[in-house]
Amino acid sequence: MLKRTRIQDLLGIEYPITQGGMAWVANANLAAAVSNGGGLGVVAAGSMPPELLDAEIKRVRKMTNKPFAVNIMLMSPTAEAAIEVIAENRVPIVTTGAGSPGKVIERLKPLGTIIIPVIASVAHARRVERQGADAVIAEGMEAGGHIGEITTMVLVPQVVDAVDIPVIAAGGVADGRGVIAAFALGAEGVQVGTRFVCATESPAHEAYKEAIIKATDRSTVITGRTTGHPVRCIKNKLTKKFDELESKGASLEELEALGTGRLRAAVIEGDIEWGSVMAGQSAGMVKKIQPAAEIIKDLFSDAERVLRQMQSYLLNEK
């Protein structure tokens, strides 16, 4: 059996798993399904107007009595409004990404909110620990969406060694082998995004889900490196156009114009050619659409199987 971790105790969850804060995908339906399944469901504030975020938070509370979180994308123009909506609703847990969480910690921690920033380097992890973060999500470049430059395999153990707060591993986790690998690296929980896109309760268009299921090990590419905010997506006409423009030295304004509205086009409208089909490299391991609770049970029953297999192997070696 897997040992209970500080993440489970901190968040009050059955399984040490959090759902990625994926804009347009991580809505109240998906968050409630993950929380009811024993993990930590997350609503992505993204660029939501405050009234819509308020409605989503209230919907989650009607659908589950389990812990849930809201993710704040700090580079979003609506981030400050999201902080106030979260404060008004006394959301128990917040994850943050794409920036420094100082303002979030300063405003929400006195209210008792648990703050867990997504980080992509040791320096970032140390900084947010000093600021008062309760845990960190160490996300490797295998993840979908906005990414850093370090792989999960290398990032997680260095972050574990650098901080005293619990570490959640993200990027590349889609089955029990990934869960056990994350724990072997010193993490006390995992964050899963791409596989939850294919949850039954996910609002992602069926075409988006099918694009993930059909993906192989080499289906994803990184675009937007020249903007300073690289993004991992499944390759299509949009990613090829990004490559073309970047190779010609296109301006930041041109690249931002090309990317505007493309994630919504993929997630909601099902445009998998010119939409931004954000997905991690683990897409090649996602084989079916299934309920969120079933995904969680599959991950951890498989992890137990892998652990038993490893123990048997090590005992035989002795």
Side-chain angles (χ1 to χ4, degrees):
M1 293 289 291
L2 291 169
K3 180 182 176 182
R4 188 169 178 85
T5 72
R6 289 185 293 170
I7 286 296
Q8 287 159 282
D9 292 336
L10 174 68
L11 305 180
I13 54 180
E14 182 181 356
Y15 296 97
I17 181 171
T18 65
Q19 166 229 314
M22 303 164 286
W24 293 105
V25 175
N27 67 357
N29 285 351
L30 179 58
V34 172
S35 290
N36 286 331
L40 181 72
V42 178
V43 172
S47 296
M48 278 188 196
E51 60 274 13
L52 180 56
L53 178 59
D54 181 73
E56 286 293 288
I57 292 169
K58 288 178 168 58
R59 280 213 306 138
V60 171
R61 285 203 159 115
K62 288 180 180 178
M63 299 169 74
T64 185
N65 59 3
K66 303 288 183 65
F68 71 96
V70 172
N71 173 266
I72 304 173
M73 187 175 72
L74 295 165
M75 64 187 292
S76 167
T78 62
E80 292 199 11
I83 293 170
E84 292 309 312
V85 171
I86 288 165
E88 290 168 11
N89 282 278
R90 293 295 194 272
V91 173
I93 305 158
V94 166
T95 65
T96 69
S100 172
K103 288 183 180 179
V104 178
I105 293 171
E106 183 180 327
R107 176 71 176 94
L108 298 178
K109 192 153 185 181
L111 303 179
T113 307
I114 295 167
I115 312 293
I116 309 178
V118 175
I119 57 88
S121 71
V122 168
H124 195 185
R126 284 177 171 151
R127 184 163 63 251
V128 300
E129 182 181 40
R130 288 195 300 270
Q131 289 175 315
D134 296 285
V136 292
I137 299 165
E139 184 176 79
M141 67 177 296
E142 298 94 324
H146 291 91
I147 58 170
E149 298 179 347
I150 309 173
T151 65
T152 306
M153 176 70 78
V154 175
L155 177 64
V156 171
Q158 292 186 76
V159 171
V160 168
D161 290 346
V163 299
D164 294 321
I165 54 179
V167 176
I168 297 167
V173 180
D175 64 10
R177 292 170 295 184
V179 172
I180 294 301
F183 275 77
L185 296 174
E188 296 185 53
V190 294
Q191 177 167 286
V192 173
T194 302
R195 190 162 176 187
F196 279 129
V197 174
C198 290
T200 306
E201 300 88 352
S202 162
H205 196 282
E206 291 304 306
Y208 195 121
K209 294 180 183 181
E210 284 299 319
I212 290 174
I213 290 170
K214 290 177 181 177
T216 67
D217 58 332
R218 300 186 66 184
S219 290
T220 68
V221 292
I222 300 170
T223 62
R225 290 184 189 274
T226 59
T227 69
H229 301 290
V231 175
R232 184 180 295 283
C233 306
I234 291 177
K235 55 189 172 186
N236 58 9
K237 291 177 180 177
L238 177 66
T239 63
K240 289 177 183 176
K241 187 65 175 178
F242 262 109
D243 286 343
E244 179 186 319
L245 289 181
E246 289 191 87
S247 67
K248 292 178 179 178
S251 67
L252 178 61
E253 290 74 21
E254 286 178 277
L255 294 171
E256 287 182 343
L258 176 61
T260 299
R262 300 294 184 174
L263 180 58
R264 184 187 185 282
V267 177
I268 305 302
E269 299 167 15
D271 184 352
I272 59 170
E273 290 298 335
W274 286 100
S276 184
V277 187
M278 293 186 184
Q281 288 182 313
S282 65
M285 295 187 282
V286 181
K287 303 301 181 186
K288 59 183 176 180
I289 296 168
Q290 59 189 140
E294 190 176 298
I295 290 172
I296 295 170
K297 287 181 180 176
D298 279 0
L299 281 165
F300 286 93
S301 62
D302 190 37
E304 296 283 0
R305 177 192 62 78
V306 172
L307 185 58
R308 289 192 299 270
Q309 188 177 55
M310 289 176 58
Q311 289 170 334
S312 174
Y313 171 76
L314 291 171
L315 288 171
N316 287 339
E317 284 295 295
K318 290 181 180 179

